[in-house]
Every structure is written in structure tokens, then in C-alpha cells.
Amino acid sequence: MTVNELTLKIENLSYFYENGDGINGFNFELNKGDFLAVIGISGSGKTTLINTILGILKKKTGNISIGDHIDISKISFSPQNQAIDWYLNVFDNIYMGALFSNVSNPKEITNNVIELVGLKGKEASDPTDLSGGQLQRVQLARQLVSESDILFLDEPTNGLDVIISEQLLTHLKSLATKGVTCIVSSHDLDVLEKFCNKVLLIEEGKQVFYGSLDDFIASYNEENEFIIEIYNPIEEKVKSLLQNKYNILEWFPLVVSIENEKQISEILKVLIDHDIPIQSLRKDKKTLKEIILDDHRRKENNV
Ligand SMILES: Nc1ncnc2c1ncn2[C@@H]1O[C@H](COP(=O)(O)OP(=O)(O)OP(=O)(O)O)[C@@H](O)[C@H]1O
Ligand SMILES: [Mg+2]
């Protein structure tokens, strides 16, 4: 595999629904073997972006190019809403996926993927007799049998239990290490963080971050941010005292961005002087999930 071989290039991509919602001005590039996490709160535009890239929605502006080595028939998509052939049993639903994509050993691949997504024993079942999570797995399996170059999965872990979610993402990661480019939207941030190497954060239809997972985590983990865990929320009187002098980012737990080391001991002294017991003090090192939660909380509280 050639390192950094371009797979997908998105330039100034936009799509708008009639009511004006949509996505605006997306720019990013993916290479062979990239595992992209598309994240953002519900309604931010993840599905719209994926559907626009795939041409399900007709783009209003922009360019989409795929790498020269990509065979267009080797692009797979698992949509957020289930697409199942209701008249076929579980095995045949998945087997159809393998036949469509012309893989060399469709039966073997189908059986392997059935095992992978935990549907062993359900091969002869009708889709109508399955639970929501099992249906979701049938749909995913139809894509996983296809031996694609690019896989788009919109909320693949929805309705899956933690074990199957981890297995699925582990499998995707192993495909990525073999050169498959995976684009996965999900609210499952803890799980995604373990597997993706790139992050695309969407807010209100706009691309607010695109880059490596490491850069994303680093850019939101300021060196000078401290978390002071306290047992009870701080009363207003003490809050205004602190707020006037220090850059307080959050109140419970107390998160502060300091200008010098001295400030942290000053803040601790204020707390102690007001009989506020301190549980712990640590430098802030946030996970992907905490970054998104904090960001949202700060916007809500206007701090
Ligand atoms: N068919 C449609 N017509 C009009 N507006 C739509 C349509 N589909 C989605 N939208 C709007 O576009 C915005 C983005 O929706 P989208 O489905 O892309 O969000 P999402 O990030 O995938 O959300 P979720 O996490 O809930 O799946 C939302 O404001 C939504 O209400
Ligand atoms: Mg969606």
C-alpha cells in the first residue's frame, strides 16, 4: 500500500434543503486507510454530508474527486435508516450484498461476516422476526461482505450492544489497516476515539474541525487548563470573587485556565478560606467525548 494515497477529496461542498438547512463549505481529503469519525450533535448535518458525497442528495456547490485507484463500484454505504430485503432471510440478505459486489468467494465471506456481527444461528430467520439491533447488523453485514475500497457507515453502532459495537469497529479498523477508507458517523464517541485516526466535527451544517485525532485532542487540551473537583457547587458570592480575577471555564467541576502557576494556589486558597472542600486537582486531559460535552456546556452557559 502506498502511504498517503489520495482516496477522496472534497472541495467547497454544500447542499441545502428547501428550508435552508443543510451543509455549507466542506473541504477535506482522505487517504487510503484513513478512518474518519464524522461527529456532531443530532441535526448538525452528518447524514446530509454523507448523502451529498454519495450523490444521493445533489450537491449545490463544490467538487468531489476520488483517487485514480478507486473502482467506483467498490464504494459501499450503510444508511442510517435500514435498507433490508424483507422477502429474503438473513443469510440471503447478506449473501446478496456479496453477489452484488462480485467478490470471489461470496459464501465464505457471508459466513465470516455473519459470525463477525453475531448473527450466527439466525441465518434462516425472516427479517421481520429480528430485533432492531439484529436488523441493523444485517444491514451492516450487507456492506461488510462487499470488499470495498471506501466504506460509508452512517451511525453503524445505533442499536448495537457495546460488545458488537467494539467488534464492528475493530473489524473496520483492521480493514483500514489493509487500505480501506472508512467514513463513520456516530454518537458513540468513546468507541470511535479508540479506532479513528481523523475527525470531522460538524456544527450547524458547518465544518468546524477537520484533522487528525491527535491534533483534535491536543487543540482542545490547553496546557494551562486545570480541573478542581469539589464536593458541592460553589455559592454565588465566591463565584463572583473568582470570576473577577480568573478565567473560569466551568463551575462544577471548577475548570480554570491560568496564566501562571501562582494563580492555581491563589484559587485553592480562596476555596479553602471559604470552607469549600477540594476533592482533587488535575491538569485537564479530555477525551473526545468530554471535549464535545464541555464545548456544548460552555456554549449553553455562555462561559
Ligand atoms: N429532508 C429534509 N428536509 C429538510 N430538512 C432536513 C431534511 N433532512 C434533514 N434536514 C435538516 O438538516 C439538518 C441536518 O440533518 P442531518 O440528518 O444531516 O443531521 P445528523 O447530524 O445526521 O443528525 P442525527 O445525528 O440525528 O442523525 C437538520 O437541521 C435537519 O432538520
Ligand atoms: Mg444522521
Side-chain angles (χ1 to χ4, degrees):
M1 175 178 113
T2 320
V3 184
N4 290 343
E5 201 173 338
L6 184 77
T7 299
L8 182 68
K9 186 170 180 174
I10 303 297
E11 292 165 290
N12 192 31
L13 188 68
S14 303
Y15 176 83
F16 306 105
Y17 297 103
E18 277 182 8
N19 62 3
D21 283 342
I23 50 142
N24 195 1
F26 277 71
N27 290 286
F28 61 91
E29 284 183 21
L30 294 175
N31 294 324
K32 219 171 160 174
D34 271 341
F35 192 129
L36 176 72
V38 180
I39 60 173
I41 61 170
S42 178
S44 54
K46 302 179 296 294
T47 297
T48 307
L49 173 71
I50 290 175
N51 288 350
T52 308
I53 295 173
L54 290 165
I56 297 165
L57 298 173
K58 197 167 177 306
K59 64 185 162 68
K60 296 285 191 266
T61 68
N63 266 316
I64 302 163
S65 8
I66 56 171
D68 296 338
H69 63 286
I70 303 289
D71 173 350
I72 204 137
S73 70
K74 295 246 169 223
I75 300 177
S76 288
F77 171 48
S78 172
Q80 185 167 0
N81 298 319
Q82 274 140 14
I84 302 271
D85 284 323
W86 295 98
Y87 51 88
L88 295 177
N89 69 19
V90 167
F91 184 90
D92 289 339
N93 252 287
I94 301 167
Y95 187 53
M96 284 287 277
L99 292 181
F100 271 136
S101 59
N102 254 337
V103 296
S104 51
N105 41 356
K107 278 230 156 79
E108 192 188 335
I109 289 190
T110 302
N111 281 317
N112 290 346
V113 170
I114 283 176
E115 176 106 46
L116 171 84
V117 299
L119 286 172
K120 213 156 175 49
K122 291 280 178 194
E123 291 91 336
S125 299
D126 277 341
T128 43
D129 297 336
L130 299 182
S131 72
Q134 288 167 337
L135 275 176
Q136 170 78 353
R137 283 184 259 160
V138 173
Q139 179 181 299
L140 273 170
R142 281 162 63 112
Q143 306 311 321
L144 295 176
V145 288
S146 65
E147 295 192 333
S148 302
D149 292 331
I150 310 181
L151 265 173
F152 286 87
L153 305 174
D154 194 0
E155 310 262 3
T157 58
N158 245 4
L160 301 188
D161 61 51
V162 283
I163 297 159
I164 302 275
S165 289
E166 285 250 355
Q167 273 172 9
L168 167 72
L169 288 160
T170 306
H171 177 68
L172 293 177
K173 184 78 200 170
S174 79
L175 293 178
T177 55
K178 289 177 196 143
V180 177
T181 303
C182 299
I183 294 121
V184 178
S185 91
S186 178
H187 292 283
D188 233 333
L189 300 179
D190 286 338
V191 182
L192 266 192
E193 181 171 0
K194 280 167 67 180
F195 299 98
C196 70
N197 67 326
K198 290 198 169 160
V199 175
L200 175 65
L201 172 63
I202 308 180
E203 271 176 31
E204 296 179 355
K206 294 194 186 65
Q207 171 177 334
V208 294
F209 180 92
Y210 169 68
S212 73
L213 174 68
D214 291 344
D215 285 350
F216 184 77
I217 301 281
S219 68
Y220 283 85
N221 272 303
E222 301 278 341
E223 268 302 295
N224 54 356
E225 278 187 22
F226 281 81
I227 299 181
I228 305 169
E229 300 251 28
I230 41 184
Y231 288 98
N232 298 309
I234 298 174
E235 56 193 280
E236 291 305 318
K237 187 181 72 177
V238 184
K239 269 191 183 178
S240 53
L241 229 149
L242 291 170
Q243 202 160 24
N244 288 340
K245 218 168 153 197
Y246 306 103
N247 184 10
I248 307 293
L249 303 172
E250 224 170 288
W251 286 112
F252 196 64
L254 187 60
V255 183
V256 58
S257 171
I258 57 161
E259 284 158 18
N260 53 54
E261 295 282 324
K262 198 167 135 263
Q263 283 194 336
I264 200 76
S265 42
E266 287 171 11
I267 294 168
L268 292 177
K269 184 161 184 332
V270 173
L271 296 176
I272 291 162
D273 287 349
H274 288 86
D275 293 328
I276 298 168
I278 296 157
Q279 203 175 345
S280 67
L281 165 73
R282 61 188 155 89
K283 255 206 169 128
D284 201 358
K285 174 86 173 75
K286 294 187 207 120
T287 63
L288 189 58
K289 186 173 176 177
E290 285 166 336
I291 290 169
I292 301 297
L293 279 174
D294 281 2
D295 198 46
H296 187 60
R297 226 179 286 138
R298 278 172 204 173
K299 278 186 188 131
E300 293 243 297
N301 298 337
N302 270 330
V303 249

